[in-house]
Amino acid sequence: MPELPEVEVCRRGLVPELEGALIKGVVIRSPKLRQVIPPELLSLLPGCRVMAIRRRGKYLLFDCRKPGVEGCLIIHLGMSGNLRFVPHDLPPGKHDHFELVLADQILRFADPRRFGVVLWQPGPPEVAEQHPLLANQGLEPLSDGFTDDWLHDACAKRSGPIKPVLMDSHMVVGIGNIYASESLFRAGISPVRAANRISRARYALLVPAIRETLSDAIAAGGSSIRDYVHSDGGAGCFQIQAGVYDRAGQPCLRCGGVIRQIRQAGRSSYYCPRCQH
DNA sequence: CACGACTCCTGCTGGC
DNA sequence: TGCCAGCAGGAGTCGT
């Protein structure tokens, strides 16, 4: 479900209530996610204070500490995961796999498809990213280093179509299937164009398009942060008005042409053949 | 090295 | 109305 904007909005929603909070208990209801939830969390986390909540790509990092214990709780929401604050007396649902019990509420992790991850990396905050799942993560697209020159160079040896390349988290993190299509539409670049055959000038359009697509989505989600982490049902997911995503056969909002759906690397891509070249 | 196919799991949708 | 194939916003691994 979530791409970078959804994870970032989730993080911002957690901060006011979780940062500085004391973890009183831990519940592992079904340990089998993409990887098994480490059972040692049951003894490590209770008594810990959450010192900070960070994000790396689509991973959430909770820096935890108590006397004799320091480490980072790593959570990835996968395709269908979400984190919610719920009251102590709310019975768990079928897919509620993990929770942190706090003084006055519970932080509950639900994930129907079980593609998510809950892991532990021992040590101080600065070594958290040495975890194998984080060590090879690419550049943050909202960081200063993400420039047209950088992306142009990074794509120099990528002869495949640009859209799956944008989704490669070892190069750039956080761009999933929706925002890859949306960013390319915004930049007027075809998803099937070979990454190493796009000019530097057009990367100078693509980089701000990616930035704006992601920050617009964060802004859209930010307006409903409380719903996002407190909702007792609802979608638990927000989306910006899509220009092309899931609009196959419908008119392009820019030129009126027909939006086309194709398949790339096993995923659906959407684009306007008249606007994108 | 770069790339695509395959894999994990459950739920929903659309076509018959 | 019911059934089933196909698909879903992720990402690691493996074979080529």
Side-chain angles (χ1 to χ4, degrees):
Chain A
M1 177 183 293
E3 304 187 29
L4 184 150
E6 288 80 6
V7 178
E8 176 60 21
V9 168
C10 181
R11 189 193 71 80
R12 293 182 190 183
L14 296 175
V15 165
E17 296 179 63
L18 190 59
E19 216 164 72
L22 184 67
I23 299 171
K24 304 195 79 168
V26 171
V27 177
I28 301 175
R29 212 163 268 116
S30 42
K32 280 191 67 180
L33 299 178
R34 194 170 98 210
Q35 296 185 20
V36 172
I37 300 177
E40 58 266 34
L41 292 181
L42 294 171
S43 57
L44 286 168
L45 286 177
C48 276
R49 210 167 273 286
V50 180
M51 309 306 293
I53 307 169
R54 299 179 286 152
R55 178 188 59 75
R56 178 75 176 101
K58 297 173 189 169
Y59 290 87
L60 287 166
L61 311 178
F62 303 78
D63 297 320
C64 299
R65 202 168 72 196
K66 70 181 175 186
V69 173
E70 185 171 32
C72 186
L73 179 69
I74 301 169
I75 295 185
H76 191 291
L77 301 175
M79 265 190 181
S80 57
N82 65 67
L83 285 166
R84 291 242 170 73
F85 289 112
V86 300
H88 281 128
D89 57 0
L90 186 74
K94 186 176 175 184
H95 303 298
D96 293 339
H97 308 305
F98 176 79
E99 58 197 42
L100 298 179
V101 182
L102 310 173
D104 46 4
Q105 60 187 344
I106 291 172
L107 181 67
R108 191 168 271 175
F109 174 70
D111 182 11
R113 291 180 69 184
R114 295 171 183 262
F115 286 172
V117 130
V118 177
L119 294 170
W120 177 255
Q121 171 75 6
E126 56 270 22
V127 307
E129 297 195 22
Q130 291 174 11
H131 190 281
L133 288 182
L134 298 176
N136 296 317
Q137 290 277 290
L139 193 60
E140 289 284 340
L142 296 179
S143 70
D144 290 341
F146 185 63
T147 64
D148 48 332
D149 284 343
W150 181 88
L151 188 57
H152 180 263
D153 292 350
C155 289
K157 289 181 181 169
R158 307 298 294 261
S159 58
I162 180 67
K163 195 260 194 171
V165 171
L166 289 183
M167 293 174 62
D168 180 357
S169 62
H170 300 113
M171 184 163 78
V172 185
V173 295
I175 306 175
N177 203 36
I178 294 181
Y179 297 122
S181 279
E182 292 298 313
S183 300
L184 287 166
F185 173 65
R186 224 185 248 241
I189 296 172
S190 164
V192 302
R193 179 163 291 271
N196 61 359
R197 295 189 150 201
I198 297 173
S199 68
R200 196 173 291 257
R202 302 192 77 206
Y203 276 112
L205 297 175
L206 181 55
V207 163
I210 290 169
R211 275 223 171 81
E212 287 163 20
T213 302
L214 297 177
S215 28
D216 285 359
I218 292 173
S223 60
S224 60
I225 278 183
R226 270 201 75 82
D227 292 344
Y228 193 73
V229 295
H230 282 277
S231 157
D232 46 341
C237 192
F238 60 93
Q239 258 175 48
I240 54 167
Q241 175 58 46
V244 289
Y245 183 78
D246 206 21
R247 296 195 64 241
Q250 297 177 44
C252 169
L253 300 174
R254 188 182 298 150
C255 78
V258 181
I259 302 301
R260 185 178 295 170
Q261 175 178 7
I262 59 173
R263 205 144 186 90
Q264 295 182 287
R267 315 298 298 274
S268 283
S269 301
Y270 301 84
Y271 70 107
C272 171
R274 263 161 69 176
C275 292
Q276 297 174 250
H277 297 281

